[in-house]
Amino acid sequence: MSVSPSASPSATSSVSSAGSAPTQADLYDFVRRTAADTELIDSLPLDREGRTWVRLEGPGGSEAWLIGWPPGTGTGWHDHADSVGAFLTASGELKENSLAARLPTDGWKTLELTEDVDRERRLGAGQGRAFGRHHVHEVLNESPDRHAISVHAYYPPLPQIRRYSRSGPVLRLEQVERPEDWQ
């Protein structure tokens, strides 16, 4: 289930300098302040079966989302193409698995990853991270009985999301989604 009306968090947006594109730090500051808005967080409708989301106004023309994660849900492996981003857990706990390796951006379908590229973070309420372009990760709510809620921001607005499958060290490009696929 998705919910997509625009919402505007009560936290004011800031951008590093007037008219410039928001940085990873600006996006992280935005998600941190927005996650602290308990009225906004409590307003997100939650569904036991699927993720829910509401689009937010991010700083400096960025794309931002408030996302509800039912127990046992996740994104699967993906990246955000040329966008930088940040996300923060507002309630519950999320796990992020990521790759500490820069992958080629185009021209491949299957890669064999080297050892020691896997990273794992557990992000409880109030914890998050910023990331650069082409950051490959998956985000999971591994709780058997508790929803998690998070705030995400990306700049530039997501031009595409590349989705991957993973079997051991083999990463395979499965699909490229564009904004019209998830509107």
Side-chain angles (χ1 to χ4, degrees):
M1 172 184 188
S2 69
V3 179
S4 59
S6 289
S8 183
S10 61
T12 48
S13 300
S14 68
V15 179
S16 50
S17 46
S20 67
T23 65
Q24 290 176 45
D26 294 326
L27 297 175
Y28 187 80
D29 183 56
F30 170 81
V31 298
R32 182 187 51 75
R33 288 180 295 108
T34 303
D37 182 342
T38 56
E39 186 176 329
L40 176 66
I41 301 308
D42 292 344
S43 74
L44 180 66
L46 300 177
D47 182 315
R48 291 286 300 161
E49 302 301 317
R51 287 189 296 156
T52 53
W53 55 87
V54 174
R55 185 149 188 186
L56 306 173
E57 289 186 38
S62 64
E63 182 172 343
W65 298 91
L66 178 62
I67 301 176
W69 304 77
T73 59
T75 60
W77 288 94
H78 67 282
D79 72 18
H80 305 102
D82 290 322
S83 297
V84 298
F87 72 98
L88 189 129
T89 305
S91 71
E93 180 182 85
L94 293 171
K95 175 183 172 186
E96 181 198 34
N97 294 319
S98 64
L99 300 178
R102 183 160 175 106
L103 304 180
T105 57
D106 293 308
W108 66 276
K109 291 281 186 187
T110 303
L111 288 176
E112 186 163 341
L113 303 170
T114 60
E115 291 184 27
D116 300 325
V117 298
D118 289 296
R119 300 294 181 267
E120 177 184 309
R121 289 179 176 84
R122 294 207 175 264
L123 304 167
Q127 296 179 314
R129 66 161 310 182
F131 53 85
R133 290 168 167 65
H134 309 290
H135 175 69
V136 177
H137 69 165
E138 67 175 347
V139 179
L140 309 157
N141 177 5
E142 294 186 322
S143 172
D145 56 6
R146 185 167 180 217
H147 267 82
I149 298 175
S150 57
V151 180
H152 303 247
Y154 311 99
Y155 189 85
L158 296 173
Q160 65 184 11
I161 293 177
R162 289 181 288 245
R163 298 214 174 262
Y164 306 97
S165 62
R166 175 113 187 245
S167 179
V170 177
L171 187 71
R172 179 172 284 112
L173 176 64
E174 297 290 347
Q175 180 180 10
V176 177
E177 296 177 1
R178 304 213 183 298
E180 56 271 15
D181 297 327
W182 65 87
Q183 296 296 331

